[in-house]
Amino acid sequence: MSDRFAAIFTTINAPYRLHMDEADLIRYLSGEEIPTYFIGQIWGFFGEVPVEEQLAFAECHGISARELKEKAQKFSIRSGAHFPILNAEI
C-alpha cells in the first residue's frame, strides 16, 4: 500500500478484523464484485473518506471520476445509503 493513501485504509479497515488492501479496493472500483465480508469497507470508503481523497485514489489507479461515481451509485442502491460523492459535480 502506498503511503499516500494509508489514511484511506486506516479509515475503512479500523472497525474490522479482516482488512481490505489496495488491490482489493482497486479491483472493486474497476468493476469486479467483492466478497460480502468487505461490504463495510466499501461503505467506509464512500461514506467516510473525503470525496477529494476518493477521486485522487481512483485517478491514481486509472479509474475516472465518472466511473467512481457510477460505482458509488450502484453501491448506494445496494446499501440504501446516500454518499457525498453522489452530490459532487463530476
Side-chain angles (χ1 to χ4, degrees):
M1 171 179 42
S2 65
D3 289 341
R4 178 177 180 195
F5 300 115
I8 289 174
F9 291 92
T10 298
T11 299
I12 69 173
N13 286 317
Y16 304 102
R17 178 175 293 164
L18 184 61
H19 289 179
M20 174 179 251
D21 64 21
E22 195 164 354
D24 292 323
L25 184 55
I26 293 164
R27 278 193 300 276
Y28 174 73
L29 296 176
S30 296
E32 291 185 29
E33 283 301 310
I34 57 162
T36 56
Y37 49 80
F38 283 143
I39 296 296
Q41 286 89 334
I42 296 301
W43 194 101
F45 180 75
F46 289 125
E48 297 178 17
V49 172
V51 172
E52 298 79 22
E53 286 297 308
Q54 292 175 39
L55 292 168
F57 181 85
E59 180 182 350
C60 182
H61 294 93
I63 301 161
S64 73
R66 181 187 54 77
E67 291 171 310
L68 182 66
K69 191 170 182 177
E70 287 174 2
K71 197 65 165 181
Q73 179 64 41
K74 288 178 184 176
F75 191 74
S76 176
I77 292 166
R78 179 178 181 180
S79 69
H82 184 80
F83 302 108
I85 193 169
L86 300 177
N87 297 330
E89 298 229 6
I90 297 173

